[in-house]
Amino acid sequence: MHLEKITQRYLDLFPTDRSKNTMQRTVPNILSCLVDPVKFDLPKLLYFNEQLSEELGLGKIENHKDEDFLAAQNLPKNIRPFATAYAGHQFGQWAGQLGDGRAIYAGEILQKNGKFQELQWKGAGATPFSRAGDGRAVLRSTIREFLMSEALHHLKIPTTRGLSISLTGEQVIRDVLYNGNPKPEPGAVMLRTAESFLRFGHFEWFSAQRDYETLEKLGLFCIENYYPEINLNDDNKYKKFFEQILERTANLMVDWLRVGFVHGVMNTDNLSIIGLTIDYGPFSMLDEYDTSFTPNTTDLPGRRYAFGEQGKIAQWNLWKLANALFPLIEDADYLTEKLEYFNDYFNQKSDEMLCKKFGFENMKEDYAAFFEEWQLLMEDLVLDYTLFFTALEKWKPEFEVKSHFQTCFYKNNSPEEFQKLSTFLKIYDEHISNQNFSEENRLKLMQENNPKFVLRNYLLYECIEEVSQGKMEFFNALFLALQTPYDCDDVSLTKKRPSKYDNQSGCSMLSCSS
């Protein structure tokens, strides 16, 4: 691997604590802290995403030194690992300093297109921000993040990505559901990559300390590297910066709604400054359609981060980012106007997204009521979100409703409920017949926006059970399937959640340690 290409810009550009002291503490006016990853006695490479490594310019594994690097061991001198400080609001409350508690940067690598891709280990040991934690990760959560981040990438949703998984040879104690039942689990380290791991919380950190000099440096860095369409000499550059973040965040929320992704813990420190999906914890893909569904046990009973609340929470988080950026913008009326604009923009993009899922060429006035009726129908009849659209794509008016949609039901519906579905489909057929859009184009639109395969929690649960026993066959099958989610025809991977997993921990409900 071309490890000599890895650099660390942050250490030269921003205030850095170079003591390598990992004692948990407050580090005011600091972005980065140099840290040494923990030494593992028996690290072993479990999986390597060679295609991604080639795309990054790192290349193939050539020797044991490369495998050591993937596990954050015996690093070459040009790699100076560090963790970053950030703050944030968690479950609506100011939490103060947070920071990379389980993540350590390796640095970044320059791409052929002139952009950098950052490299970051997760689970390589404690940092000053570990908040009484050990900085380790377990195999269970590592597999979940690795596979789901790759799944979202292939669903064409902006996300961090997984480069490798290494076993540490350790047993790590974790209380999966925070219910007083800790147990040892295999430890693991993931190397992940993203154009940037910067988040809303980085800006909150410096703004809260009134360190406006570093706040501005960070803003200029982001504009120059991630928002090149904004002129650095423009007097309104920070206004445009905020507007672009707002739109990217709204677009990401719409993408999540399109495929049924529920993040589970949308704190301000878990939202990307460039609109990526980051920090995979108690996430889930929808099985049955339910706007109130949250997979996070910590989010009960309020369901702040439920599937249908994600757009609203994104806007709330943007209010907090606006507060953080105010010293650079100094125009409260502008920020208020843009935050109110979020609603219109998000609703417009959501309507456009649903039109594509249903195969409608353009949004029409009467579609709004149609979409509302569809949501009620999905929840009343407890229909599978993904499988409903798979069946709808093949639907023809002459088909028998119950048999055609039989793969989608999670409950035994009454004749009256099936009649509701029949009535809805008649209205759908009328909408289709009334639009000036060919059948070929309709199907193409639906096929491009409705995945056949989504990485359901029960599949991840089964995969983790297999890998924990040393079996990689199912992991490999999932990794192959997730690369073609819009074309997957493997019936064993595209079925609804089996009833035996309805109340299984790790399938329907998870915790922030997941």
Side-chain angles (χ1 to χ4, degrees):
M1 297 174 72
H2 301 295
L3 304 183
E4 74 281 356
K5 294 182 178 181
I6 298 173
T7 57
Q8 296 87 24
R9 293 179 296 168
Y10 288 2
L11 302 182
D12 300 321
L13 295 174
F14 299 104
T16 300
D17 179 336
R18 301 177 186 275
S19 69
K20 295 190 178 182
N21 181 0
T22 59
M23 181 182 74
Q24 281 93 65
R25 65 194 189 279
T26 301
V27 287
N29 307 111
I30 291 294
L31 176 65
S32 305
C33 292
L34 290 177
V35 295
D36 286 328
V38 70
K39 296 295 182 183
F40 300 118
D41 291 335
L42 296 170
K44 179 182 178 182
L45 181 65
L46 181 70
Y47 197 85
F48 178 60
N49 190 344
E50 185 174 300
Q51 181 178 344
L52 176 57
S53 187
E54 294 279 16
E55 291 172 10
L56 293 173
L58 283 171
K60 299 178 181 179
I61 293 174
E62 298 178 355
N63 50 50
H64 286 300
K65 290 183 180 179
D66 293 339
E67 292 192 13
D68 280 348
F69 164 73
L70 296 173
Q73 304 295 293
N74 304 317
L75 301 174
K77 291 183 179 180
N78 65 295
I79 296 178
R80 298 172 292 166
F82 63 96
T84 64
Y86 53 80
H89 287 78
Q90 298 192 325
F91 294 92
Q93 302 297 318
W94 175 245
Q97 176 184 292
L98 297 167
D100 295 317
R102 276 196 294 177
I104 298 175
Y105 286 77
E108 69 280 316
I109 184 168
L110 184 62
Q111 309 292 282
K112 292 179 181 178
N113 62 7
K115 295 183 177 182
F116 286 91
Q117 282 284 318
E118 296 178 358
L119 299 164
Q120 191 182 77
W121 295 287
K122 185 173 182 179
T127 76
F129 316 109
S130 295
R131 301 186 293 283
D134 56 16
R136 265 85 161 171
V138 296
L139 180 61
R140 165 179 48 82
S141 61
T142 304
I143 289 174
R144 280 175 53 81
E145 174 164 355
F146 183 93
L147 288 177
M148 185 55 80
S149 62
E150 286 301 290
L152 286 198
H153 169 73
H154 290 289
L155 285 165
K156 302 175 184 176
I157 296 175
T159 178
T160 60
R161 298 192 63 188
L163 186 61
S164 66
I165 299 175
S166 299
L167 298 172
T168 65
E170 293 184 335
Q171 290 290 304
V172 178
I173 304 298
R174 287 292 181 267
D175 187 349
V176 179
L177 294 176
Y178 299 155
N179 60 1
N181 293 296
K183 66 176 183 178
E185 298 185 55
V189 172
M190 174 180 174
L191 185 59
R192 57 188 184 182
T193 180
E195 186 176 359
S196 175
F197 287 100
L198 290 173
R199 51 198 73 205
F200 289 14
H202 283 101
F203 288 85
E204 289 185 281
W205 172 236
F206 290 108
S207 189
Q209 297 175 90
R210 300 187 179 183
D211 183 354
Y212 302 142
E213 180 181 351
T214 308
L215 180 71
E216 183 165 24
K217 279 185 180 180
L218 195 59
L220 289 172
F221 176 84
C222 287
I223 293 171
E224 182 177 4
N225 286 276
Y226 313 125
Y227 294 89
E229 64 275 19
I230 300 174
N231 188 335
L232 287 171
N233 296 316
D234 189 334
D235 290 340
N236 293 316
K237 56 182 173 291
Y238 296 119
K239 290 183 177 180
K240 294 178 179 179
F241 177 48
F242 179 72
E243 184 173 346
Q244 289 294 309
I245 296 169
L246 182 147
E247 291 188 355
R248 288 196 193 185
T249 302
N251 291 338
L252 181 65
M253 296 303 106
V254 172
D255 267 335
W256 288 359
L257 295 180
R258 177 175 64 84
V259 300
F261 178 76
V262 194
H263 185 279
V265 59
M266 283 178 61
N267 299 324
T268 59
D269 57 293
N270 291 337
L271 256 66
S272 162
I273 207 70
I274 63 170
L276 302 180
T277 309
I278 61 173
D279 284 4
Y280 291 81
F283 64 80
S284 180
M285 301 298 292
L286 281 188
D287 292 309
E288 60 267 45
Y289 185 85
D290 180 0
T291 56
S292 68
F293 171 67
T294 178
N296 186 358
T297 55
T298 315
D299 197 25
L300 299 173
R303 299 180 184 270
R304 175 182 176 84
Y305 299 138
F307 174 67
E309 298 295 311
Q310 292 180 126
K312 183 192 300 183
I313 291 300
Q315 184 190 36
W316 191 93
N317 288 345
L318 284 161
W319 275 101
K320 299 307 173 186
L321 179 63
N323 289 336
L325 291 176
F326 181 78
L328 305 182
I329 296 172
E330 295 184 323
D331 189 338
D333 291 339
Y334 170 83
L335 289 170
T336 300
E337 176 187 336
K338 287 303 171 185
L339 287 160
E340 291 174 350
Y341 157 76
F342 176 92
N343 288 327
D344 293 335
Y345 183 84
F346 174 75
N347 290 333
Q348 177 192 338
K349 293 299 180 180
S350 295
D351 287 341
E352 291 174 0
M353 175 269 292
L354 284 174
C355 282
K356 292 174 182 177
K357 287 183 74 69
F358 278 98
F360 297 156
E361 183 178 15
N362 297 303
M363 181 66 184
K364 295 181 180 179
E365 188 175 341
D366 54 349
Y367 288 173
F370 174 80
F371 293 151
E372 288 181 12
E373 184 62 30
W374 165 74
Q375 285 189 321
L376 293 172
L377 181 79
M378 292 289 290
E379 293 189 342
D380 288 348
L381 274 63
V382 195
L383 288 160
D384 189 276
Y385 184 45
T386 302
L387 295 177
F388 173 81
F389 282 101
T390 298
L392 189 68
E393 179 191 313
K394 301 173 183 178
W395 164 255
K396 294 185 182 301
E398 60 268 26
F399 288 173
E400 200 275 324
V401 172
K402 185 176 180 180
S403 60
H404 184 71
F405 287 90
Q406 64 180 343
T407 60
C408 308
F409 299 110
Y410 282 95
K411 73 164 188 170
N412 294 320
N413 288 293
S414 67
E416 291 78 16
E417 287 170 320
F418 281 115
Q419 185 56 49
K420 286 182 182 179
L421 178 56
S422 297
T423 301
F424 173 83
L425 290 168
K426 287 179 182 178
I427 298 172
Y428 175 68
D429 292 336
E430 290 175 5
H431 286 317
I432 292 299
S433 62
N434 289 335
Q435 68 175 355
N436 186 25
F437 202 42
S438 71
E439 180 68 4
E440 180 182 356
N441 286 334
R442 179 185 75 86
L443 289 174
K444 183 174 183 293
L445 196 61
M446 295 184 75
Q447 290 163 357
E448 289 174 345
N449 288 277
N450 294 308
K452 305 293 187 298
F453 169 82
V454 292
L455 191 56
R456 300 172 188 265
N457 268 352
Y458 88 84
L459 293 173
L460 283 166
Y461 178 84
E462 291 182 345
C463 176
I464 293 163
E465 291 290 298
E466 291 282 308
V467 176
S468 297
Q469 298 173 32
K471 304 173 184 177
M472 289 295 291
E473 291 82 6
F474 194 48
F475 180 103
N476 293 330
L478 289 179
F479 193 74
L480 183 63
L482 62 80
Q483 294 177 59
T484 56
Y486 297 98
D487 304 306
C488 182
D489 57 2
D490 187 335
V491 177
S492 68
L493 299 179
T494 56
K495 62 185 180 182
K496 67 183 181 184
R497 182 191 67 245
S499 59
K500 67 180 180 178
Y501 292 122
D502 286 352
N503 298 304
Q504 175 66 53
S505 298
C507 291
S508 57
M509 296 303 296
L510 306 112
S511 73
C512 290
S513 71
S514 300

